[in-house]
Structures are given as structure tokens and as C-alpha cells.
Amino acid sequence: MTQMSISNKSLFISFEGIDGCGKSTQVKMLMNRFESDGIDSLLVREPGGTQISEEIREVLLKNRNENMAERTEALLMTASRAQLTHDVIIPSLDSGLIVIADRFKDSTLAYQGGGRGLDINYLLQLNDFATFELDPDITFFIDVTADEGHRRLNSKNPDRIEGAGKIFQEKVREQYLKLARIYPDRFIVLDGEKTAEEIHQIIRLEIKTIREK
Ligand code: TYD
């Protein structure tokens, strides 16, 4: 396959993990790699990514909103996702771009499902409604323990969800591991204790494999 025909094929990649897993570093490394290889790609982050979604993000993450009901949280996360999917992700994939999502629907299943304990079946439906049933082609789950994630976050000012505590993050992680078993075709579990460069190399290899399929 030539470089040209490879780069015209759209691909939807998502990154997932608990807070402090090193996801942002990997997203950045991958974007830089695509850029130096001359491959058109677009990065989106959740919650957020459009003006409306960024406004929803503020409501979601403000520490002042500590009494937000769990269902409100789930609805706002998926509302932000609906706008982003409609305005940005679907049109970009349609035009042949590679889209990298720093979190997508699995975050809702892990955080609001595993972490907050909401019914997964409702969340699956909400997610499908919000995304026109779009799923990532490949999902990189960077796995660290809640202890490790907490340690790495220590220097930062935690937002409302990061501040939910270690036991919460442990439940989120457990749910991610369950999702990896439910969706083995698209989930790649990466050991977040490896070096950033080692993780990046595995990610590159997986993407190369899927693009050549
Ligand atoms: P952010 O600062 O973007 O964190 P990160 O860099 O870890 O992605 O904050 C997003 C927070 O929102 C993060 O704690 C995960 C949480 N979240 C949910 O609880 N549910 C969701 O559906 C999404 C997309 C994020």
C-alpha cells in the first residue's frame, strides 16, 4: 500500500484511562508523530471540543458544583459528546481524517458506570444516542493503579472528578478492565508503568497494523 492511499483512510482512535495515567503525554506524542509523518489528523478532548461542549465542561468540572446528581453528570457528559460527535468527529471522519479522541464513550461507562455506580444499560443507550452509535476503531486504555494515578496527580489542583478520591478511581479502573474484556476487538490494554517511549512504540505498531488491514 502506498503512503498516499494509507493517509486517505479515516480512522477513529480513542485514549482512555483513570486520572493521572499518562494519557495526555501519549496523545501528544502520537499527534507529533502523525505531524512529522505528514498524516492529517485531528485531536479532540472530552468533555469539550466545541464551544457548547466547553461550556458544559465548565459546569461539569467546577468544584463549586459538588452537589451535582450522578444522573445529571452522565447526561452532561453525553450532551457534550453529542455536540462534539455531530459537529466535529463525524464530519472529520467523513472527510478521511484520522481523529484522536482524548476520552470518548468508554469514559462514561467507566466513570459514571463503574465510579458512580449508575446502570450500565442506561449509559450504553445514552452513549449510542449521543454518538449516532459511532464507536472508535481502536481504543488505547493506559492502565495504572489508582495509587499510581493519585501519586502522579499530586502536584495538580484536582477538579471535581479528580477530587473524587482513590476508591472512586479504583472502581473506574475495574470498569475499564471489564470493558477491555467485553470489547477485545478494539481495546488495547497498555501497561502504564512502562516508559512513555515504550508505550508510544506499542501504540505506533498497533496503529500501523490496523491501517494496513
Ligand atoms: P480532564 O481534565 O480532561 O482530565 P483528563 O486529562 O484525565 O482527561 O477532565 C475530565 C474529567 O472528566 C476526568 O476526571 C474524567 C471525567 N469524565 C467522566 O467522568 N465521564 C466522561 O464521560 C468523560 C468524557 C470524562
Side-chain angles (χ1 to χ4, degrees):
M1 213 180 264
T2 66
Q3 178 70 26
M4 200 57 203
S5 63
I6 289 177
S7 53
N8 282 340
K9 209 163 101 186
S10 72
L11 187 68
F12 185 24
I13 304 168
S14 67
F15 278 84
E16 297 283 354
I18 66 169
D19 295 289
C21 70
K23 185 170 52 62
S24 308
T25 305
Q26 288 304 324
V27 167
K28 216 175 290 163
M29 288 172 90
L30 185 60
M31 287 301 293
N32 288 343
R33 167 53 51 188
F34 281 150
E35 203 178 310
S36 51
D37 287 350
I39 295 172
D40 286 338
S41 60
L42 180 85
L43 172 64
V44 292
R45 72 151 181 187
E46 283 209 358
T50 70
Q51 193 209 313
I52 292 171
S53 306
E54 289 293 330
E55 287 185 25
I56 297 172
R57 177 186 173 90
E58 261 194 66
V59 176
L60 274 164
L61 299 185
K62 244 186 222 159
N63 280 309
R64 204 185 63 195
N65 291 336
E66 63 189 11
N67 55 358
M68 183 180 294
E70 289 152 355
R71 290 179 186 216
T72 309
E73 186 175 278
L75 287 164
L76 288 175
M77 290 291 179
T78 47
S80 161
R81 179 164 309 128
Q83 193 72 35
L84 179 70
T85 306
H86 174 269
D87 287 4
V88 181
I89 298 178
I90 290 177
S92 302
L93 291 172
D94 282 349
S95 72
L97 279 183
I98 294 186
V99 177
I100 302 174
D102 186 343
R103 298 194 181 283
F104 196 57
K105 54 210 292 193
D106 299 306
S107 283
T108 300
L109 301 176
Y111 281 79
Q112 282 63 55
R116 303 288 191 214
L118 291 177
D119 186 328
I120 292 288
N121 290 317
Y122 276 137
L123 298 176
L124 285 168
Q125 292 222 38
L126 261 182
N127 260 340
D128 279 345
F129 181 66
T131 61
F132 304 81
E133 302 184 6
L134 176 71
D135 283 327
D137 297 302
I138 188 164
T139 297
F140 293 109
F141 166 53
I142 304 178
D143 186 33
V144 295
T145 61
D147 273 335
E148 179 62 17
H150 190 74
R151 201 177 56 73
R152 293 183 192 179
L153 274 183
N154 255 349
S155 53
K156 275 190 12 183
N157 262 349
D159 61 40
R160 193 179 60 82
I161 294 176
E162 284 167 351
K166 237 194 292 183
I167 292 173
F168 175 80
Q169 297 286 340
E170 195 49 63
K171 289 191 216 159
V172 174
R173 178 187 179 214
E174 285 309 315
Q175 184 65 38
Y176 270 128
L177 290 168
K178 255 190 226 167
L179 293 172
R181 291 193 291 272
I182 296 172
Y183 304 114
D185 291 350
R186 70 173 167 89
F187 251 81
I188 308 285
V189 180
L190 300 162
D191 176 0
E193 301 267 348
K194 288 195 157 83
T195 67
E197 190 51 42
E198 281 170 329
I199 297 173
H200 175 62
Q201 291 308 331
I202 301 172
I203 290 172
R204 280 187 64 190
L205 206 67
E206 293 288 348
I207 291 177
K208 186 168 179 285
T209 307
I210 194 171
R211 294 184 81 214
E212 284 171 356
K213 261 187 197 162

